[in-house]
Each structure stands twice: as C-alpha cells, then as structure tokens.
Amino acid sequence: MPTPLTLLASAGSKRVRLMQAARAQLRLPPAHVLEWRDWLREPGLLDVALAQPSRLKVEPPGDDPAAHLSLLQAGCRLQDRAPVPAPEHGELLAMDAWFAGFNAAMQALATQLASLPHARAFNAPAEISLMTDKLACQRHLAAHGIAIPALLGPVHGYDHLQSLLHEHDLDRVYLKPRYGSSASGVVAYRRNRAGRQQATTSATLSRTDGQIRVFNVKRMARYETRHDIAALVDALAAQQLYAEAWLNKPRCGDSHYDLRVVTLAGQPAHRVARIGDRMMTNLHLDNRRGEASGLLNAADLAALEAASAQAAQAFPASHVTGYDLVVRHGQAHVLEANAFGDLLPGLLWQGADTYTAQLTHV
C-alpha cells in the first residue's frame, strides 16, 4: 500500500492542485489537505492525520490571508509589539513580525513531528525556517563553502546604506528584505560619482495621511530622487533589510538571465533559465523561460550542477529545494535557496514535472 501523504497547505492553491494531479497520474490516492488556518487553531488535527505511517509536505501559508494574518499577529505578540491590521493586497507589512510567527510555528511543528515516529517530512521544519530567513540562509551557504554574492549585511536605513557603500567602495547593490519572497521588496540600487542614483524595484510607495506604506506589484518601478529612495529604503529597513554586492547576469540577446534549479534527494533535477530585460528575472514578473542546456556551455553546466548539489548538501533534511543561481565563465553563485521552489508548472525533467518527480524520488 502506498504511503499516505498529508499537505499542510491552502486547499485551493495551485500547489495543491498540481500535487493532486501528480498523484492521480501515478495512480496514487489524493493527498489529505490540512489547512494552515485549521492547524494553527487546532494542532491536534495533525496528530490525527499522521497517526499511521505517512509523509508530510509543508507548503507556504501565504496563499491564505487568514493564515498569514494569524502568523503576523502571533509574531507581534512574540515581539511584544502592538498588533497590526490585516495587510491590504500586496502590502509589505511587518515582515519581521510575520517571520517571528512563522518561525515559532515551524518550531512547534518540529516538536509535534518528534512525537509522531511514523511520520516523515519532505523538508524539515528547521530547514524551512532557515531558508525563509534569507540573510541567515546566505550566511549558512557561505559557511558551507558555497559561492554567493558578497554580503554587506543588514541595512538599517538610507543613511546607513550610504555608509556601507562607502565602506565597501561600491556603487551598485541589491537590497533584499530578510524575510521576503518572490522578489517582493527587492531593490536594485545604483549611484554614480556625480550624485545621481536610481532604485529599481517591484515595490511601490504609497503616502496616505503622512504614512508611508509599501506594496508589491508586478510592474517594476524606478525611483530617482533622494526623497523617494530614502523613503523606500527606510520603510523596508524597518522590516529588516540586507544588502549584497551586485552580480552581473549573463546576457541572452538584449536580455539577461539567471537559473532556477530544483534538487530532489540532494541531486539537481529540473532547471530553467529565467530571462528578462529588467533587474528581477522572477517568472511571475512576466519574464520568460529558457532552456538552460541551450544557454550554458559544458563548463557552465557542470558548475551549475556542482553548485546545486553542494547547496543541497547544506540542507540534508530537505527532499525538494529550489536554488537560484548566476553562472558565468564556469563559476556558479547561489543567489537564494527556496524551501518552496518547486512551483514550476509544466517544467519537465526526465519526462516528469516537479511534483511527479518528487513523489517518485523518495
């Protein structure tokens, strides 16, 4: 009899639909779906779901606004700060408090799983948390000898950013929310010696009654005045922000690209080039897919696979992980690890999509 699968997920999400379709293709019974909001309210529901030998896959809670708000408010309590209102659609609000709540939930899940000896998690909760803390994750990768863009560390505001640039003698950096995802709030910042500066980002500023709010949108924005850039950086820094050195991406015609690789059981499997003419190449920002094999020479392909496998070794308790990389001149740098990096509909590796493959590589 096949091992049952439980998904800690949002029932109506694309991830759940793709997993259920993969199980149907393999003639496996549907996975049991435990809603994040239900588990947060009543953790014992997981004990019931995993009472017999089974597997658990944690999907991100962000598809459910109620679960997101629950984690956000839990984080506010843990940080002894006033509760915040529910974020509006796309609003980047108290991301550090959200992570505090999410991290506490992952710690509780790890404790719960330890009391369920017949249950096995696709990805260990502690490693999910580590990959969700982008700065800690990059430091973790570097400590394991994996090449990453040079880290400048936390950014406490616009003035601090300028002092960091002076200290490191840099004029171009990427600013990244420590707990963001899918390029939300990422800023490509550059300046020149004449004093001009530019910030390109998927975040847009909103000023209402003297209050500055930040929203994530698909249309890239460009800010060029000190007033706007300082407001943007200060607003993101209040939710924890860090800087890394700008890493040039290889060209593809008039565009440039980086690569996403999915590892299964520690080995590189699905890979795709993300091609665009803007600073961020995430596919949900209307960039396009490309065949990695058609863009990389043999040395670059070998570097891609070696770096992906090495990065996967840094997360030995994670069965399926996504990595974003820049590969040039036979050298690969890992930009990010993603515990939820398998959402690549229709991308095949050895004839199987990411969900079918992770069910067969167990």
Side-chain angles (χ1 to χ4, degrees):
M1 173 179 284
T3 302
L5 174 65
T6 292
L7 301 175
L8 180 59
S10 301
S13 69
K14 181 182 291 186
R15 295 171 184 273
V16 169
R17 294 197 302 271
L18 290 169
M19 177 59 81
Q20 300 292 36
R23 291 185 69 81
Q25 181 181 341
L26 294 171
R27 301 177 185 249
L28 296 172
H32 170 67
V33 180
L34 175 57
E35 292 268 6
W36 261 94
R37 63 171 73 182
D38 295 336
W39 173 68
L40 291 170
R41 185 182 63 251
E42 191 176 345
L45 292 172
L46 187 63
D47 295 333
V48 176
L50 303 180
Q52 57 180 319
S54 53
R55 303 204 75 192
L56 172 70
K57 186 166 192 278
V58 179
E59 298 289 12
D63 290 318
D64 181 357
H68 180 91
L69 181 59
S70 178
L71 294 169
L72 179 58
Q73 302 295 25
C76 287
R77 291 191 296 271
L78 288 167
Q79 295 182 338
D80 195 26
R81 60 199 273 188
V84 295
E88 294 185 20
H89 178 70
E91 184 175 10
L92 304 180
L93 176 66
M95 288 184 282
D96 54 334
W98 174 86
F99 178 76
F102 177 77
N103 187 50
M106 289 295 96
Q107 290 175 350
L109 179 60
T111 300
Q112 193 170 9
L113 288 173
S115 68
L116 299 168
H118 298 301
R120 294 172 55 210
F122 266 65
N123 290 2
E127 293 190 356
I128 293 175
S129 279
L130 178 55
M131 283 184 265
T132 306
D133 181 340
K134 301 304 181 183
L135 178 56
C137 181
Q138 290 299 90
R139 288 169 169 165
H140 177 76
L141 289 169
H144 282 74
I146 296 155
I148 64 167
L151 290 174
L152 280 67
V155 175
H156 305 304
Y158 176 82
D159 291 338
H160 183 229
L161 168 63
Q162 299 306 313
S163 67
L164 284 173
L165 292 171
H166 177 74
E167 176 187 346
H168 293 272
D169 193 25
L170 291 173
D171 289 319
R172 301 191 304 166
V173 291
Y174 273 88
L175 307 175
K176 298 184 176 182
R178 182 164 181 166
Y179 311 113
S181 63
S182 302
S184 58
V186 173
V187 180
Y189 175 86
R190 51 189 171 182
R191 66 181 188 178
N192 63 25
R193 301 301 179 185
R196 295 185 61 183
Q197 54 186 320
Q198 183 183 94
T200 304
T201 179
S202 61
T204 185
L205 287 170
S206 171
R207 292 181 172 93
T208 306
D209 299 326
Q211 181 185 12
I212 294 177
R213 301 165 71 188
V214 183
F215 290 83
N216 192 50
V217 295
K218 288 183 67 173
R219 182 179 297 117
M220 302 293 289
R222 181 177 294 172
Y223 297 98
E224 297 183 334
T225 68
R226 184 190 188 284
H227 180 257
D228 285 340
I229 295 174
L232 174 67
V233 173
D234 288 347
L236 292 171
Q239 305 179 53
Q240 294 203 34
L241 187 70
Y242 71 97
E244 66 181 29
W246 188 299
L247 197 64
N248 287 328
K249 296 179 181 179
R251 304 294 300 182
C252 174
D254 293 334
S255 302
H256 54 248
Y257 67 92
D258 60 14
L259 300 122
R260 164 65 60 88
V261 177
V262 177
T263 62
L264 299 174
Q267 296 301 313
H270 303 75
R271 67 282 310 267
V272 62
R274 309 185 305 178
I275 306 172
D277 56 8
R278 296 170 294 180
M279 305 297 182
M280 289 71 170
T281 54
N282 300 67
L283 294 174
H284 77 283
L285 296 176
D286 294 332
N287 294 303
R288 63 188 187 275
R289 292 183 180 186
E291 287 285 345
S293 59
L295 292 169
L296 304 181
N297 59 32
D300 286 343
L301 185 59
L304 175 77
E305 295 188 344
S308 302
Q310 186 182 8
Q313 290 173 9
F315 300 98
S318 293
H319 176 66
V320 53
T321 306
Y323 298 97
D324 297 336
L325 305 99
V326 166
V327 184
R328 298 184 72 201
H329 310 308
Q331 185 175 13
H333 288 80
V334 177
L335 304 177
E336 181 177 318
N338 191 333
F340 308 118
D342 54 355
L343 182 59
L344 295 163
L347 181 65
L348 303 182
W349 174 250
Q350 297 180 346
D353 68 16
T354 57
Y355 291 89
T356 303
Q358 64 191 262
L359 290 172
T360 54
H361 287 72
V362 293

